[in-house]
Amino acid sequence: MSIKQLAQALGLSTSTVSRALNGYTDVNALTRTRVKEMADAMGYRPDAGARRLVRGNTDAIGIVYSAAVENLGNPQFLDMADGLGERLEREHQDLLLAVAKNETELEIYERLFKGGRVDAVIVPNTRVHDPRVDFLLENNYPFVGYGRTAECAHYSWLDFDNDLGSKLAVEHLLALGHTRIAYVHAPLELNFAFQRHRGYVSTLQAAGVECPPGYCIGGVNDRRSGLNAVAQVLALSPRPTAVLVDNNLGGVGLIRGLMDAGLRVGQDISVVVHGDIPQDTLLTGLNVTTVTQPTPQTTGIALAEMVMQVLRDPESGPYQLLRQPALQVGSSSGPAD
């Protein structure tokens, strides 16, 4: 099945069919839908090599992940990537994943674009001040931020209301009578961690509750560091009656450590975690109270749709989406003694 045969079946010109299949907005929406439905029905598949030559595109979207951030071991990342790849596949786009150390990230972005390997990139784990975003903007490379930076009005991004997430968690614990609430967090140069910490501090301040020195324990972004943070939490004086953890893997490690120390989570100490707990986590008999976000799968789909908008209609951007959290109450949080 050639594009010429498809055009003949539709009674349209080959150029109109080509532009409709590629999502160009100068072809009206009804025609684009009609062309795509007929292409699916007739089993038409574009020749990838010819398509790249004609359009000057690579038909690939890239993600560069820093190995130092430990995201590739997080099931939430894998679910997001699954949704992203599935949605891009429907657009005949490939997903290219590159893993880098922090000091080589900019070099990899430059190589991906100058080598003609990607049409656009998704920038994950945005920092408060992010040289990757600055680099991409300066070079006019198409991208979508998976997260925001301190200054984010002038580029496309998808993010979560992290301040609100911490506010919901702290207010829940305050309502249970907790006033000694420790906070365990990822490095604060990551913007999600900065925002969640800000939400924690501001909510305590608004309630007139003091946060004693040492109650904020940083550097926790995986299971091992969460486990290691338990000793610091239990050594605090006065000992906290509750802990809020700003990421799911750190939360799993912390809860495991508290249980191993003989504490009854939800009774002797309450814990609330940002993010869903992985299904393969062995926290038997415990339903963790979490600050939940829309599913990683739908987040990946939304990112794919945003990056295609950036490529097809950059002048109408920037495209920005702020998703809202919710509190899912489980058995890991209970009344203060």
Side-chain angles (χ1 to χ4, degrees), residues 64 105-113 121 123 132 135:
V64 180
E105 281 187 88
L106 294 185
E107 296 173 10
I108 289 181
Y109 280 113
E110 185 170 28
R111 186 163 65 250
L112 287 174
F113 278 106
V121 292
V123 182
R132 300 171 300 171
F135 172 79

Side-chain angles (χ1 to χ4, degrees), residues 74 76 162 165-166 169 182-200 217-222 225-226 243-252 254 271-277 289 291 293:
N74 193 332
Q76 286 192 310
N162 293 302
S166 286
Y183 188 74
V184 175
H185 61 86
L188 295 181
E189 61 264 25
L190 296 171
N191 203 44
F192 83 85
F194 175 83
Q195 293 170 330
R196 291 174 183 178
H197 177 264
R198 181 175 61 192
Y200 160 79
I217 299 169
V220 174
N221 62 351
D222 59 18
S225 53
V243 185
L244 172 59
V245 188
D246 82 345
N247 64 93
N248 64 335
L249 295 188
V252 168
L254 182 95
V271 179
V272 180
V273 177
H274 273 273
D276 294 331
I277 303 300
T289 299
V291 178
Q293 312 284 7

Side-chain angles (χ1 to χ4, degrees), residues 67-84:
V69 184
E70 300 288 347
N71 280 284
L72 296 182
N74 193 332
Q76 286 192 310
F77 164 73
L78 298 176
D79 288 344
M80 182 281 292
D82 182 62
L84 175 61

Side-chain angles (χ1 to χ4, degrees), residues 4-334:
K4 184 176 180 180
Q5 290 171 309
L6 178 61
Q8 288 174 342
L10 287 160
L12 298 171
S13 69
T14 54
S15 62
T16 297
V17 171
S18 175
R19 296 184 72 79
L21 289 170
N22 288 309
Y24 286 98
T25 55
D26 59 351
V27 180
N28 70 64
L30 287 175
T31 300
R32 293 200 304 270
T33 299
R34 178 177 166 232
V35 169
K36 288 183 179 181
E37 288 177 349
M38 180 66 81
D40 290 340
M42 298 181 71
Y44 170 77
R45 292 292 180 270
D47 182 282
R51 187 179 179 202
R52 292 185 185 109
L53 286 173
V54 171
R55 297 171 60 202
N57 292 349
T58 67
D59 289 338
I61 306 299
I63 301 181
V64 180
Y65 254 91
S66 167
V69 184
E70 300 288 347
N71 280 284
L72 296 182
N74 193 332
Q76 286 192 310
F77 164 73
L78 298 176
D79 288 344
M80 182 281 292
D82 182 62
L84 175 61
E86 179 183 315
R87 183 65 184 87
L88 288 176
E89 185 178 3
R90 301 210 308 264
E91 301 289 340
H92 308 290
Q93 295 276 343
D94 295 325
L95 177 62
L96 177 65
L97 174 65
V99 181
K101 296 180 180 179
N102 283 330
E103 63 270 19
T104 64
E105 281 187 88
L106 294 185
E107 296 173 10
I108 289 181
Y109 280 113
E110 185 170 28
R111 186 163 65 250
L112 287 174
F113 278 106
K114 288 192 173 180
R117 298 174 66 186
V118 297
D119 296 326
V121 292
I122 293 169
V123 182
N125 287 318
T126 49
R127 284 72 158 169
V128 178
H129 304 287
D130 201 316
R132 300 171 300 171
V133 170
D134 295 337
F135 172 79
L136 293 167
L137 287 170
E138 287 167 7
N139 287 277
N140 200 31
Y141 291 142
F143 74 98
V144 173
Y146 185 17
R148 291 167 287 169
T149 55
E151 300 293 332
C152 60
H154 49 299
Y155 64 89
S156 298
W157 49 259
L158 182 152
D159 202 2
F160 306 99
D161 193 335
N162 293 302
D163 291 82
L164 177 59
S166 286
K167 182 175 185 288
L168 293 173
V170 172
E171 288 181 341
H172 168 68
L173 292 170
L174 290 172
L176 291 171
H178 296 280
T179 57
R180 300 198 304 274
I181 305 171
Y183 188 74
V184 175
H185 61 86
L188 295 181
E189 61 264 25
L190 296 171
N191 203 44
F192 83 85
F194 175 83
Q195 293 170 330
R196 291 174 183 178
H197 177 264
R198 181 175 61 192
Y200 160 79
V201 171
S202 64
T203 306
L204 286 180
Q205 289 176 341
V209 175
E210 182 182 359
C211 179
Y215 263 46
C216 289
I217 299 169
V220 174
N221 62 351
D222 59 18
R223 295 176 179 89
R224 177 60 60 182
S225 53
L227 185 69
N228 292 339
V230 170
Q232 293 174 262
V233 170
L234 297 182
L236 293 171
S237 181
R239 179 181 289 188
T241 62
V243 185
L244 172 59
V245 188
D246 82 345
N247 64 93
N248 64 335
L249 295 188
V252 168
L254 182 95
I255 291 172
R256 182 72 265 168
L258 292 172
M259 294 171 70
D260 290 346
L263 294 174
R264 296 170 299 170
V265 175
Q267 298 177 57
D268 301 323
I269 189 167
S270 289
V271 179
V272 180
V273 177
H274 273 273
D276 294 331
I277 303 300
Q279 293 182 355
D280 62 351
T281 297
L282 301 178
L283 296 176
T284 306
L286 185 65
N287 180 21
V288 180
T289 299
T290 57
V291 178
T292 66
Q293 312 284 7
T295 66
Q297 180 91 8
T298 60
T299 296
I301 292 171
L303 280 168
E305 291 173 349
M306 289 183 75
V307 78
M308 295 311 299
Q309 283 181 299
V310 167
L311 288 173
R312 289 172 176 163
D313 194 9
E315 300 304 319
S316 296
Y319 304 97
Q320 298 171 348
L321 177 60
L322 185 64
R323 297 188 136 191
Q324 299 302 307
L327 186 72
Q328 185 71 41
V329 178
S331 59
S332 70
S333 59

